Amino acid sequence: MPSRKGCDVPITPTAKIWMDGELVDWEQATVHVLTHSLHYGSAVFEGIRAYATPTGPAVFRLRAHIDRLLRSAHVLELTVPYGADELCSAVRETVRASGIAACYIRPLVYLGYGEMGLNPLPCTVHVAIAVWPWGAYLGEMEGDAGIRLKVSSWARHDPRAVPSAAKATGFYINSSLAKVEAVRAGYDEALLCTTDGYLAEGTGENLFVVRDGVIATPPASAVGALEGITAASVATLAADLGYEVREKLMRRADLYVADEAFLTGTAAEVVPIASVDDKAVGSGRRGPVTAAIQEAFFGVVRGENDRYKDWLDHVD
Ligand code: PPE
């Protein structure tokens, strides 16, 4: 069986999960089987990481993630009973309670038990925040190795069918279908294209393509990709390093002839792409631009770059 990297490691429980304002024991953080969001995918969520820094655990771009969570909720008309400041404090509190130096953070806004049917408006809105240690999402990469990517036979869901700017749980069936197809065929990750055949994004990552020293990424709203916070951070760091970064509609063949390509995401971080559809990207190893961006990114999240200390929210 091909490995299901990222999914083949069971969750390691931590002490507490924040649920509607209370820290509850991990095992007690349960919902009723008739919870609305379980049936209709009517929840919105975030993925955030906290990193170990010399001055203690720090959450990377916490406010940006909470703002996106609230925007997702707004798009789906979920009335979140907490404000951004309260949610940021709740995240810090949950990380603190876990006592771990680095973790993945999963805030979830969901519709609860009590109403059924496709109209979500009468439902009660709940918030949960869980944290757990999550290692290299696409597998540990040795040296200059990169992932094997497959262009999916599934199209990225059309932004006219769902508001793809919202990070809604139900939308992820699209990503899961592509992921299963790719891992069953022996690849690490899938890349979804729009129904018109433009490169959109990975199942949980944004895409960057490097050619002749210029870094290109698909325009998120046009291709129905999520506006990645890691992608925005990486674009800023790449510009600092002197690279030109531009948004560009690209086709499958643009990946085949790229010098380098990489994926970005909170869970995935910055990951080099070694090949696409079994064709080597550039040298088939991590290239110099990707390496420079990885170094800059990991320097920032580990608190080694004062210029971006505003991107880190210390929990203590
Ligand atoms: N596109 C998609 C579809 C996506 O889910 C993510 C994050 C991104 C791009 C990158 O966005 P950002 O994290 O803001 O840089 N995917 C989250 C869920 C992964 C999962 O397996 O669950 C994540 O990385 O937390």
Side-chain angles (χ1 to χ4, degrees), residues 7-310:
C7 307
D8 51 7
V9 187
I11 295 178
T12 305
T14 56
K16 299 283 183 187
I17 293 181
W18 192 95
M19 284 182 96
D20 296 328
E22 308 277 335
L23 283 174
V24 301
D25 288 344
W26 180 278
E27 292 76 19
Q28 308 305 317
T30 55
V31 293
H32 194 275
V33 73
L34 293 181
T35 295
H36 189 276
S37 291
L38 189 58
H39 294 251
Y40 306 116
S42 55
V44 296
F45 72 107
E46 269 304 316
I48 316 176
R49 272 188 191 271
Y51 289 90
T53 78
T55 44
V59 184
F60 183 63
R61 305 208 66 179
L62 174 57
R63 183 63 187 234
H65 281 281
I66 293 300
D67 285 347
R68 188 172 65 185
L69 180 71
L70 294 174
R71 283 199 303 274
S72 296
H74 170 73
V75 171
L76 295 189
E77 298 192 38
L78 311 179
T79 308
V80 183
Y82 305 96
D85 289 339
E86 284 171 292
L87 292 170
C88 287
S89 309
V91 166
R92 283 190 296 267
E93 188 187 349
T94 316
V95 175
R96 254 195 322 272
S98 77
I100 46 179
C103 59
Y104 185 79
I105 303 160
R106 169 57 55 82
L108 179 74
V109 175
Y110 63 98
L111 298 180
Y113 165 82
E115 300 281 344
M116 268 298 170
L118 282 165
N119 179 6
L121 299 177
C123 296
T124 54
V125 182
H126 301 268
V127 181
I129 303 166
V131 306
W132 66 89
W134 208 357
Y137 182 70
L138 294 171
E140 288 297 339
M141 237 52 76
E142 300 273 319
D144 284 343
I147 59 154
R148 298 181 61 235
L149 189 74
K150 178 193 193 305
V151 173
S152 187
S153 71
W154 292 100
R156 173 72 178 157
H157 46 54
D158 192 292
R160 291 168 298 186
V162 289
S164 40
K167 197 168 165 60
T169 57
F171 300 172
Y172 277 79
I173 291 294
N174 182 226
S175 285
S176 290
L177 288 165
K179 185 81 184 186
V180 168
E181 178 188 61
V183 295
R184 284 221 191 285
Y187 297 87
D188 300 307
E189 186 53 290
L191 197 281
L192 293 121
C193 295
T194 66
T195 49
D196 296 328
Y198 291 108
L199 304 177
E201 61 177 343
T203 65
E205 309 89 2
N206 293 109
L207 172 70
F208 287 86
V209 178
V210 186
R211 192 167 168 198
D212 298 329
V214 175
I215 304 175
T217 189
S221 71
V223 300
L226 190 73
E227 277 181 29
I229 291 165
T230 318
S233 310
V234 155
T236 301
L237 297 175
D240 280 357
L241 291 168
Y243 295 108
E244 184 188 333
V245 184
R246 54 165 95 125
E247 289 192 341
K248 190 180 157 195
L249 283 173
M250 289 176 280
R251 298 266 184 198
R252 193 168 182 161
D254 289 304
L255 273 173
Y256 298 163
V257 299
D259 298 326
E260 301 180 32
F262 59 90
L263 296 173
T264 66
T266 297
E269 301 172 306
V270 181
V271 177
I273 299 168
S275 67
V276 177
D277 302 334
D278 300 308
K279 286 179 250 300
V281 174
S283 65
R285 315 287 301 169
R286 175 180 59 183
V289 177
T290 307
I293 286 170
Q294 276 186 318
E295 195 188 321
F297 175 79
F298 287 110
V300 167
V301 298
R302 289 175 189 145
E304 293 157 9
N305 183 345
D306 272 352
R307 182 160 179 192
Y308 293 104
K309 58 180 187 328
D310 289 356

